[in-house]
Amino acid sequence: MKQWWRRWSYEVPLAIGDALWDVLVVQLAALLDRLTVRKVIAFIPIVILVLAYYHRIPIPPELMLIGDFLAYIDVFSALILLGMMSRVTTILFDVKQSAARIALLAGRVVAHAQRLDTRHRRQRGAPTRPRRKPDQPADGWAYGGVWDQVLVA
């Protein structure tokens, strides 16, 4: 009798308490750890459907449409992301073209600056062109112009 009393007054309530602790605390905490916003949003239409078919509470059609919208939130989010990506690719294309134009302009400026040759200036005493040697000797020069008559006389 003592064993029976000990078992039903001590061990069984402890086993029930341990089972309740496991279900209501440990497993609930594990469920909440795995819970995401997506799962909560996916559960909202189910709640709306349960309320809609529970005939004592009238549900307006707007709530049903909100439930449908939340059910198709994945499709809407994919479309929104696709729209954003197309805008981002357009912006990146414009940035790429602008960078190419800036690089081309910089190359032209460098080439023009090298043509101006601002770094290597000539010395002031240096001749601008080398002197050309005459093709004919000094004896065979042809006199011309006004000095022709003076030199012949």
Side-chain angles (χ1 to χ4, degrees):
M1 181 72 162
K2 195 171 185 180
Q3 281 288 14
W4 182 82
W5 181 255
R6 177 182 167 99
R7 182 173 183 188
W8 284 101
S9 66
Y10 183 70
E11 293 175 4
V12 171
L14 285 179
I16 293 172
D18 288 343
L20 287 175
W21 176 264
D22 184 47
V23 170
L24 297 177
V25 176
V26 176
Q27 290 181 10
L28 183 63
L31 176 72
L32 291 177
D33 277 344
R34 291 188 311 264
L35 191 64
T36 61
V37 175
R38 184 176 177 181
K39 287 181 181 178
V40 170
I41 290 174
F43 188 70
I44 289 174
I46 295 171
V47 171
I48 292 174
L49 282 174
V50 167
L51 290 175
Y53 287 109
Y54 189 65
H55 292 291
R56 293 187 187 174
I57 302 172
I59 298 291
E62 295 86 18
L63 282 180
M64 296 300 289
L65 291 175
I66 290 173
D68 290 342
F69 175 75
L70 291 175
Y72 295 116
I73 193 84
D74 294 336
V75 175
F76 288 119
S77 63
L79 290 176
I80 289 170
L81 286 175
L82 185 65
M84 288 173 54
M85 289 298 293
S86 66
R87 288 187 184 133
V88 167
T89 54
T90 304
I91 291 171
L92 287 177
F93 178 73
D94 289 340
V95 167
K96 183 180 172 184
Q97 276 190 335
S98 299
R101 287 181 184 168
I102 289 172
L104 181 66
L105 179 66
R108 286 181 182 171
V109 167
V110 168
H112 186 67
Q114 286 176 350
R115 269 190 242 130
L116 291 177
D117 202 18
T118 56
R119 294 182 303 169
H120 307 292
R121 295 187 178 176
R122 294 186 179 142
Q123 296 175 357
R124 291 186 182 208
T128 56
R129 290 186 184 172
R131 305 277 179 195
R132 208 172 107 182
K133 294 182 181 176
D135 293 339
Q136 300 174 355
D139 296 340
W141 278 358
Y143 301 110
V146 178
W147 298 103
D148 186 24
Q149 294 172 358
V150 175
L151 289 174
V152 174

